[in-house]
């Protein structure tokens, strides 16, 4: 028997941001596979089996899902946000690439989700309104020197940035190190957004300048966005400001 494997992005947290396509895939699955807090977000379905694993067991999780699909199960591998943005899609295809030849015959469907960077950008206006990039500050799978090189290159090239994995208990110093590097390239008034638990009931959005940015504002649920020299802040008396990056390159007027 040949089953099917869905790789599903659950969105940033709000159930309203779960796409209809993702909801259908979740309902079809006989088995859910993922990191515990993500599996907990999926609606309960009688008879559906949940396979929970630790956050750093991506490849083992992917192999387990592929084995079940090869045995005829309909399996859903879950990620927060979009599964293709620092999520499980890459791990699954890496497992297929290096794994059993039979896994290449499986039906695999990647179901797009709302990325945290898009949800956060929407909350403040149009932060990613021009060219942008996403960079993970985690050095678990790449050297820290490479992270710094990419940050500098993106800042010098005028990309707005969404920084994933900016802070953890094992890496409390890296975000401030990133800010120090970016201050060498960008103006001190460059807008920085700290989006914590975006779209959830405990959401917190802070907009500060690069000069005032500090890692104490971030935790493991935080996405950090760095503007460009052209990114603008629109003040609104008594209300949160809007922030947008102009559509024209170099437009700081």
């Amino acid at each position: 028997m040949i089953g099917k494997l869905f790789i599903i992005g659950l969105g940033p947290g709000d159930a309203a941001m779960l796409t209809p396509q993702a909801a259908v895939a979740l309902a079809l699955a006989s088995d859910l596979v993922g990191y515990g807090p993500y599996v907990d977000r999926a609606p309960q379905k009688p008879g559906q089996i949940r396979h929970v694993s630790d956050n750093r067991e991506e490849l083992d999780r992917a192999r387990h899902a592929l084995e079940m699909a090869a045995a005829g199960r309909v399996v859903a591998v879950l990620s927060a946000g979009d599964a293709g943005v620092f999520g499980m899609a890459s791990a699954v295809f890496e497992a297929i690439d290096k794994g059993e030849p039979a896994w290449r015959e499986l039906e695999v469907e990647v179901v797009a989700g709302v990325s945290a960077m898009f949800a956060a950008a929407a909350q403040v206006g149009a932060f990613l309104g021009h060219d942008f990039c996403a960079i993970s500050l985690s050095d678990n799978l790449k050297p820290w020197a490479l992270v710094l090189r990419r940050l500098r290159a993106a800042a010098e090239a005028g990309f707005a940035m969404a920084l994933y994995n900016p802070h953890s208990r094992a890496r409390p110093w890296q975000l401030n190190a990133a800010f120090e590097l970016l201050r060498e390239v960008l103006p001190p008034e460059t807008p920085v957004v700290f989006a914590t638990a975006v779209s959830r009931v405990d959401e917190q959005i802070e907009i500060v300048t690069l000069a005032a940015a500090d890692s104490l504002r971030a935790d493991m649920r935080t996405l950090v966005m760095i503007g460009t020299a052209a990114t603008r802040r629109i003040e609104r008396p008594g209300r949160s400001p809007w922030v947008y990056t102009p559509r024209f390159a170099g437009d700081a007027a």
Side-chain angles (χ1 to χ4, degrees), residues 147-224:
V147 176
L148 293 178
R149 189 157 73 246
R150 289 177 174 174
L151 287 171
R152 181 178 293 276
E156 290 177 343
F159 287 96
M161 286 175 265
L163 304 183
Y164 281 73
N165 306 310
H167 181 87
S168 74
R169 286 186 291 270
R171 298 179 290 101
W173 55 271
Q174 289 175 315
L175 182 56
N176 273 341
F179 288 147
E180 290 174 9
L181 180 146
L182 293 171
R183 290 182 187 117
E184 297 174 6
V185 181
L186 296 169
E189 66 274 12
T190 300
V192 174
V193 172
F194 292 83
T196 300
V198 64
S199 85
R200 301 173 216 172
V201 293
D202 55 341
E203 175 186 272
Q204 185 173 358
I205 306 290
E206 293 185 87
I207 304 170
V208 302
T209 65
L210 181 57
D214 188 277
S215 66
L216 293 177
R217 298 176 184 270
D219 63 23
M220 295 175 68
R221 305 167 302 154
T222 304
L223 176 87
V224 178

Side-chain angles (χ1 to χ4, degrees), residues 75-98:
V75 183
V77 177
L78 308 185
S79 282
D82 181 271
V85 180
F86 305 118
M88 280 299 298
S90 181
V92 170
F93 288 111
E94 181 182 344
I96 293 173
D97 187 29
K98 299 177 180 179

Side-chain angles (χ1 to χ4, degrees), residues 15-119:
M17 290 190 177
L18 179 72
T19 69
Q21 184 185 17
V24 169
L26 287 169
L28 290 173
S30 60
D31 297 79
L32 302 184
V33 177
Y35 177 46
Y38 303 156
V39 174
D40 290 343
R41 285 171 48 189
Q44 294 284 343
K45 174 188 170 183
Q48 194 175 62
I49 302 172
R50 298 182 170 217
H51 307 265
V52 175
S53 53
D54 186 75
N55 198 29
R56 292 195 177 188
E57 298 176 2
E58 290 91 350
L59 272 179
D60 288 341
R61 185 183 307 146
R63 294 186 188 105
H64 183 209
L66 288 161
E67 289 168 354
M68 288 192 292
R73 310 286 291 178
V74 179
V75 183
V77 177
L78 308 185
S79 282
D82 181 271
V85 180
F86 305 118
M88 280 299 298
S90 181
V92 170
F93 288 111
E94 181 182 344
I96 293 173
D97 187 29
K98 299 177 180 179
E100 300 294 331
W103 291 348
R104 301 186 180 211
E105 303 300 320
L106 290 171
E107 184 178 357
V108 178
E109 182 178 342
V110 182
V111 180
V114 178
S115 175
M117 62 181 167
F118 300 139

